[in-house]
Amino acid sequence: MRFAIGAFAFLAAALISGGAGAQQRVAVAQPQKPAEQTWPQEAELKGDYPRGAIVINVSERRLYYSLGDGRALVYRVAVGKTGFGWTGQSWVSQKTKNPAWYPTARMQAEGAPSYVPPGPHNPLGVRALYLGWSEYRIHGTNAPHTIGSASSSGCFRMLNADVTDLFDRVAIGAPVYVVQ
């Protein structure tokens, strides 16, 4: 400890003196940015949902993974843009690592390609959880700046690290509740 204090004092003196004839320089501690919030976080889950269920609160732009007893892990998501949002109940029908993307006919008519292979240009990101019989998914993204917005065509986008975490937790057949 005495060595560490002595070394610090020596370094501080060297910085201040700067050597013979040099201008004085003073090291000023820079304020630390607060640590960024990490996800998922544990939170209270309002409502009676079974353990392992997914609850997406569209107005909050949050996805909850139920731990049971009113507790959940919460993640940030992007939701459907105006005219594409929805509420209701579904289930996880399939889980895919590094999914390929086959845009719908509507999306293709709007200029999307007919197929995007897995990789950095794929808008589904690194994982996809398919919902019921629909074209909707909970998936990663290649556009992380959209998380927290209403910008999708009805799917729920997550950061790739978050969807990977959720993917490893959720079971096929898990109920999915999309609420306002």
Side-chain angles (χ1 to χ4, degrees):
M1 179 73 166
R2 187 178 298 174
F3 174 77
I5 293 170
F8 178 76
F10 176 79
L11 178 60
L15 285 172
I16 292 170
S17 70
Q23 290 182 329
Q24 285 190 342
R25 288 176 271 166
V26 177
V28 177
Q30 296 296 316
Q32 295 290 320
K33 284 182 13 181
E36 288 193 29
Q37 194 170 12
T38 57
W39 301 87
Q41 295 187 353
E42 193 166 322
E44 180 182 346
L45 177 60
K46 294 183 173 132
D48 186 24
Y49 298 101
R51 180 177 179 82
I54 293 172
V55 180
I56 300 169
N57 186 309
V58 175
S59 60
E60 291 179 3
R61 297 180 183 161
R62 298 283 189 257
L63 180 151
Y64 295 84
Y65 176 74
S66 175
L67 301 172
D69 296 326
R71 302 298 302 159
L73 295 177
V74 62
Y75 306 83
R76 299 172 296 163
V77 296
V79 299
K81 58 190 167 192
T82 301
F84 290 89
W86 60 280
T87 59
Q89 187 174 349
S90 190
W91 72 94
V92 175
S93 58
Q94 179 182 339
K95 295 170 40 172
T96 304
K97 291 182 179 181
N98 301 312
W101 183 47
Y102 298 90
T104 64
R106 179 195 55 80
M107 292 172 175
Q108 290 179 44
E110 294 173 353
S114 60
Y115 169 77
V116 177
H121 302 293
N122 188 313
L124 298 183
V126 298
R127 301 287 185 273
L129 303 169
Y130 294 75
L131 301 182
W133 60 88
S134 72
E135 297 171 338
Y136 296 127
R137 300 171 193 90
I138 299 167
H139 61 79
T141 186
N142 64 349
H145 63 278
T146 65
I147 301 305
S149 69
S151 56
S152 79
S153 291
C155 289
F156 302 99
R157 297 181 194 157
M158 301 177 73
L159 294 173
N160 284 326
D162 290 349
V163 76
T164 298
D165 182 79
L166 180 65
F167 186 95
D168 292 341
R169 296 175 189 277
V170 73
I172 292 177
V176 177
Y177 305 89
V178 181
V179 300
Q180 217 29 330

